[in-house]
Every structure is written in structure tokens, then in C-alpha cells.
Amino acid sequence: MATVETYVPRMKQRYNDELRGRLKEELELSSIMQVPRVTKITLNMGVGEGKTDAKALDAAIEELTIIAGQRAQLRRARRSIAQFKLREGMPIGAKVTLRGDRMWEFLDRLISIALPRIRDFRGLNPNSFDGRGNYSLGIREQIIFPEIDYDSINQIRGLDVAITTTAETDEQARALLLGLGLPLATEARRD
């Protein structure tokens, strides 16, 4: 019987081989199982004009699907807000939750390809941790991803990326994400 080779994403391999042991020593943890790891990455794209323009919503879902490599879900409003002329159940955005190998592949593409393509990039905000070891970042233009064809898009949209980890503190999450190569700025930006 022939052996079957299984593909392991590059960043996952690096985490398991190098980073996990180093973080155990660095964070002074007693067990390798206490070392923080990335559990999921959530991509969210809000489409305000989706309530009136169905084509804009379809385009956003299609772009998010191309970026993530996984079908995006339609998100609907949970409650009515009169100031925004929004009714409960109206379509307002798209969301994708990545886990497993797709999550590692997306994180690798984000760090090594997409973030360096941002104009005037000086690093990510180091204060975007939520207090529980999770990190959120906003991307202003979806065109930084090479999968998006610049000529085929009709509008520049931003998206939110939430990286969820098993870290108990922000310091543990910071050590994990810096070890993975996330380019955090050395000091807090004022913008």
C-alpha cells in the first residue's frame, strides 16, 4: 500500500516545530498544552448599502469568499434601528469563520503577502487586544489581497479580521502573534 503524504501549512509547521517549545520556555509554562494557539480567524465585511442594493451585497460575499477560500455567510440585522433606516432581518454584511488548515493558510497569506501591500504601512496597532488574548484588526481596502482582481471590483470595501487565541492574557497573545510574524508596531500610533 502506498504512503499518503499529507499537506501541512507552512505556518502551522513552524508553530509546532519551533514556536511552541520556545513559547513554553519564554512564558514559563509548566506544560506544552498550556502554550497559547490560534483557534479561529473571523473575517467580517459590513455592507451598509446592502439593504437597498442586492448586487453590492452579492459582490461583497463573492470577494470575501475569494479572500478566505471558503463560502461567506450572509449576515442579517438582529434588531431594527430607526436612525439607520434598518429593519430586523435586513441583509447587512458577510462573514467567514476559518479554522484548521484554512485558518493557517489565511494567516500566512495575511502576514507575508497582504499586509506588506498596504500603503504607508508602519505596523499594526499593538493596543488592539481585547483583554482576553484575542486580536482584531481592520483592513481598509480588500484589494491588498492578490486574489482580488483589481479591475473586476466595483467598490473598495474594508473588512475586519478577528484572531481568536487560547491565550489567557494579552501578553501571552502578543508573544504568540509576534512569534508567528504579525508585524505589530513598536509604539502605539496616534491616528
Side-chain angles (χ1 to χ4, degrees):
M1 186 169 185
T3 60
V4 178
E5 286 196 34
T6 57
Y7 170 73
V8 178
R10 180 177 75 154
M11 190 159 287
K12 182 179 182 182
Q13 186 79 38
R14 196 170 108 217
Y15 171 76
N16 288 331
D17 294 345
E18 305 166 17
L19 188 61
R20 211 166 170 193
R22 193 174 83 219
L23 282 175
K24 180 181 178 282
E25 300 296 322
E26 198 176 290
L27 299 173
E28 299 171 356
L29 300 171
S30 58
S31 170
I32 196 81
M33 297 305 287
Q34 291 177 319
V35 175
R37 65 185 184 280
V38 180
T39 55
K40 68 179 178 179
I41 296 177
T42 307
L43 308 174
N44 181 31
M45 185 181 285
V47 185
E49 65 273 4
K51 60 187 176 200
T52 57
D53 186 11
K55 288 183 181 178
L57 195 61
D58 291 341
I61 289 173
E62 209 50 48
E63 290 165 6
L64 202 55
T65 299
I66 291 169
I67 290 170
Q70 180 175 310
R71 182 75 180 153
Q73 294 178 326
L74 175 71
R75 302 306 293 166
R76 296 186 178 274
R78 286 188 251 157
R79 67 178 83 116
S80 299
I81 303 173
Q83 289 90 347
F84 298 119
K85 296 181 180 155
L86 186 66
R87 297 289 163 251
E88 185 177 340
M90 280 184 165
I92 56 169
K95 173 187 121 169
V96 175
T97 302
L98 300 172
R99 290 184 170 90
D101 287 349
R102 281 196 181 126
M103 171 193 70
W104 288 106
E105 285 294 331
F106 175 79
L107 191 60
D108 194 11
R109 284 186 290 123
L110 178 72
I111 292 170
S112 59
I113 298 171
L115 290 178
R117 292 178 61 162
I118 295 176
R119 279 180 278 160
D120 300 329
F121 184 67
R122 292 190 184 95
L124 297 173
N125 188 350
N127 298 328
S128 290
F129 288 93
D130 68 349
R132 297 182 194 161
N134 304 316
Y135 187 78
S136 299
L137 67 117
I139 297 174
R140 290 194 178 124
E141 301 175 333
Q142 82 273 31
I143 57 175
I144 63 168
F145 291 95
E147 298 89 8
I148 299 292
D149 182 24
Y150 186 78
D151 297 329
S152 68
I153 63 166
N154 55 1
Q155 183 181 1
I156 302 247
R157 288 187 191 86
L159 63 132
D160 301 319
V161 179
I163 302 171
T164 307
T165 68
T166 60
E168 295 175 4
T169 64
D170 288 347
E171 288 71 35
Q172 287 183 352
R174 183 175 279 112
L176 169 67
L177 294 177
L178 284 173
L180 289 173
L182 200 71
L184 297 178
T186 53
E187 62 181 54
R189 298 178 308 195
R190 289 172 172 66
D191 53 340

